[in-house]
Amino acid sequence: MTEFSTIYKLSVIAVLFLVQAAAGHSSCPVMECWYPVEKGRGGGLASAANQVPALLFIKTEEQQHDSVNTASESDYSFFITDPSASLCHRALNPPKGSIKKPHCELNRIQPQPSSLQWVAPLTESEKSPLYLGAQWYAATIHGLDKEMSVTTVIRSPLEADKHNVILSVTTKTVYVTARLGEPAMLDCSYWVDPSSPLHDAGFSVEWRYQFRGNGHLVLGYDGKADRLSDIGEKKATLDFEGLHQNRNASLILTETRVKQSGTYICSVHVPYLLAQVALELEIVEPPSVSVLPSPLPLIVPGQSVTFHCEASGFAPLSLDFRWELTDSEGNVRSLGSGSVTGHREGTDGTFSQTSKLQLDSAKLEQGRGGELSCVTVHPGGTQRTSVSLNVIGFSTPSIEDSMAMVGVALVLYGLIKFVSWTFSGSGDEESDDKKKN
Ligand SMILES: *[C@@H]1O[C@H](CO)[C@@H](O)[C@H](O)[C@H]1NC(C)=O
């Protein structure tokens, strides 16, 4: 009985430990943000703004903010309550003293209706104008190591010094790579404060694509009417069930093309408010590599042979060539990058490029052979494509070779002499007999 109670007590302690550890993990950060403040109020240019550091003290519950103002060392401190704990992700909360810090920007925003076709229905009936009468902010935070990005919309009621997260949009795939033709998933999820009147007032999701100043709509979805916009890409979709049940607004590209590399912006709208995060998609397709001529002709010493290393069907356009010669003992000698041609672009947007190598076979070990390799270095991986070389050794023989040849010649001469002597010996006898007859 006593043993049992000891085990029981120990397990209770263990559970308590675990709970504390878990709580420790989700500790919320104090974040440093850039916050634009108008320069010298009352004088100077009205539009000029200074970026000043502001401190964001984040907690998941309002009561956790310990008697406000004691900790406010900065001129600009915001005590933010985020029940969704989106801002408490470990990528936003580096260990104390670490050099790398999340990047955060805080801005004042003005709620307003949107005229976008798939968003406009949200504000048809003005539902919460009173609720909108507050100070509004948006904080965009990029976590460490491209692990996550989040944008939150924060409401600060005019009558109280508190800041509540109302809407958050998060991505956990800030940088996505995909092979050509394969599906890609661009993560995006959102959260709306359940106690806000905006919570059940409908939502819209919009995905836009942006590349070098050009952009287009990938997908627009009116969640209130459950209607997808007519314009947009065909091979892009959402998990509509996951969207309505778990606020999973991830974009699914069913079959990726090279031209889909670029920036994707996930915007979630609720009436009068919007939050968005940006992601990067890169289609990374390694090259198919072959070394020509194939099959390899026999190389005659003194002859110079041109080799081609052809890399095709790759993306992005970032490829390095390296030629290497491996001798029979396994020693590797670099032959440089060869002369690389300009790239060609295929109809599918992939690239091709060739490197030409002039190989002077006098440099090769004769008769021993070796291996010639073309090494291609690409974001999709490093590949080595090899051909074996065989050099026939017969011109300009070395002294050792000459001596050996003389030796062989002597032996051969002796052999021939011996054989012909044996045969001609008997022949002579025959002729002698004939003479006698
Ligand atoms: C969101 O939906 C996508 C596509 O169905 C899925 O792959 C992903 O796991 C979902 N994310 C979460 C957090 O459920």
Side-chain angles (χ1 to χ4, degrees):
M1 191 64 204
T2 48
E3 265 174 45
F4 175 78
S5 65
T6 316
I7 289 167
Y8 175 76
K9 275 179 200 159
L10 279 175
S11 42
V12 166
I13 290 168
V15 165
L16 281 177
F17 252 105
L18 281 176
V19 166
Q20 275 183 342
H25 265 290
S26 60
S27 76
C28 299
V30 176
M31 214 163 330
E32 217 176 285
C33 271
W34 290 107
Y35 179 51
V37 175
E38 268 179 35
K39 238 179 211 169
R41 285 166 205 166
L45 293 166
S47 60
N50 259 351
Q51 297 277 342
V52 298
L55 286 181
L56 270 50
F57 295 85
I58 294 154
K59 294 282 182 252
T60 52
E61 284 167 47
E62 222 158 86
Q63 308 86 279
Q64 290 171 341
H65 289 294
D66 31 44
S67 63
V68 184
N69 295 334
T70 51
S72 70
E73 299 145 15
S74 153
D75 286 343
Y76 298 96
S77 295
F78 295 83
F79 295 87
I80 294 172
T81 307
D82 175 17
S84 75
S86 309
L87 299 177
C88 305
H89 190 276
R90 81 192 131 77
L92 306 184
N93 198 4
K96 273 214 167 77
S98 79
I99 300 160
K100 285 198 287 180
K101 286 198 169 118
H103 182 83
C104 170
E105 273 172 46
L106 182 71
N107 285 289
R108 292 274 288 271
I109 57 162
Q110 199 61 51
Q112 51 188 302
S114 166
S115 57
L116 287 169
Q117 180 208 323
W118 44 91
V119 185
L122 296 181
T123 43
E124 265 166 3
S125 60
E126 293 199 12
K127 220 173 186 180
S128 49
L130 264 180
Y131 179 74
L132 295 177
Q135 203 68 260
W136 292 86
Y137 301 89
T140 295
I141 307 153
H142 303 289
L144 300 177
D145 303 320
K146 302 194 166 182
E147 207 180 320
M148 68 134 21
S149 275
V150 56
T151 297
T152 59
V153 173
I154 299 158
R155 178 178 186 265
S156 182
L158 299 172
E159 67 282 359
D161 183 25
K162 59 181 189 176
H163 301 84
N164 302 313
V165 172
I166 303 301
L167 169 68
S168 296
V169 176
T170 305
T171 177
K172 301 226 165 108
T173 57
V174 178
Y175 176 70
V176 184
T177 61
R179 292 282 300 261
L180 180 62
E182 285 182 4
M185 203 268 294
L186 308 185
D187 179 77
C188 181
S189 61
Y190 75 100
W191 176 88
V192 185
D193 178 12
S195 67
S196 157
L198 300 178
H199 182 260
D200 294 315
F203 70 92
S204 308
V205 175
E206 182 197 66
W207 278 94
R208 286 193 72 79
Y209 169 81
Q210 212 101 44
F211 186 68
R212 294 196 181 136
N214 291 318
H216 64 253
L217 179 78
V218 178
L219 185 148
Y221 177 68
D222 172 356
K224 199 174 173 185
D226 186 23
R227 197 161 43 215
L228 208 53
S229 62
D230 309 329
I231 37 173
E233 292 187 18
K234 286 193 192 76
K235 291 182 174 175
T237 186
L238 302 174
D239 172 0
F240 295 103
E241 213 180 296
L243 175 60
H244 283 275
Q245 279 171 11
N246 313 315
R247 309 185 186 283
N248 178 350
S250 302
L251 181 71
I252 303 159
L253 299 173
T254 51
E255 199 186 316
T256 49
R257 289 172 287 116
V258 174
K259 291 280 187 287
Q260 286 178 318
S261 287
T263 304
Y264 287 77
I265 297 159
C266 170
S267 308
V268 176
H269 299 255
V270 292
Y272 303 96
L273 296 174
L274 127 89
Q276 53 189 202
V277 287
L279 302 75
E280 212 65 43
L281 171 69
E282 188 161 32
I283 306 304
V284 178
E285 185 65 18
S288 314
V289 185
S290 56
V291 176
L292 297 175
S294 171
L296 211 59
L298 279 178
I299 302 170
V300 176
Q303 186 189 12
S304 145
V305 188
T306 306
F307 289 94
H308 292 268
C309 181
E310 292 185 355
S312 59
F314 62 90
L317 180 57
S318 160
L319 186 70
D320 283 320
F321 288 96
R322 205 165 66 217
W323 289 92
E324 284 176 0
L325 192 63
T326 311
D327 67 16
S328 50
E329 269 133 44
N331 302 313
V332 179
R333 187 149 49 106
S334 174
L335 301 176
S337 60
S339 72
V340 180
T341 62
H343 64 270
R344 299 173 299 283
E345 194 176 338
T347 48
D348 63 354
T350 62
F351 300 98
S352 305
Q353 210 164 17
T354 301
S355 167
K356 198 168 83 175
L357 178 79
Q358 197 90 5
L359 187 65
D360 181 0
S361 59
K363 285 185 193 152
L364 302 176
E365 284 182 278
Q366 284 154 17
R368 299 231 188 128
E371 208 175 56
L372 180 68
S373 307
C374 172
V375 180
T376 49
V377 182
H378 185 260
T382 297
Q383 290 177 61
R384 166 181 292 267
T385 311
S386 304
V387 288
S388 49
L389 296 176
N390 280 303
V391 183
I392 328 167
F394 63 72
S395 79
T396 60
S398 63
I399 295 172
E400 289 94 331
D401 285 348
S402 312
M403 301 271 280
M405 276 185 203
V406 169
V408 169
L410 281 174
V411 171
L412 271 178
Y413 178 75
L415 259 178
I416 292 163
K417 227 18 197 169
F418 173 75
V419 171
S420 66
W421 178 77
T422 325
F423 283 95
S424 63
S426 57
D428 284 350
E429 271 164 36
E430 262 173 45
S431 57
D432 287 351
D433 292 345
K434 276 172 193 164
K435 275 175 194 168
K436 280 171 191 171
N437 293 337

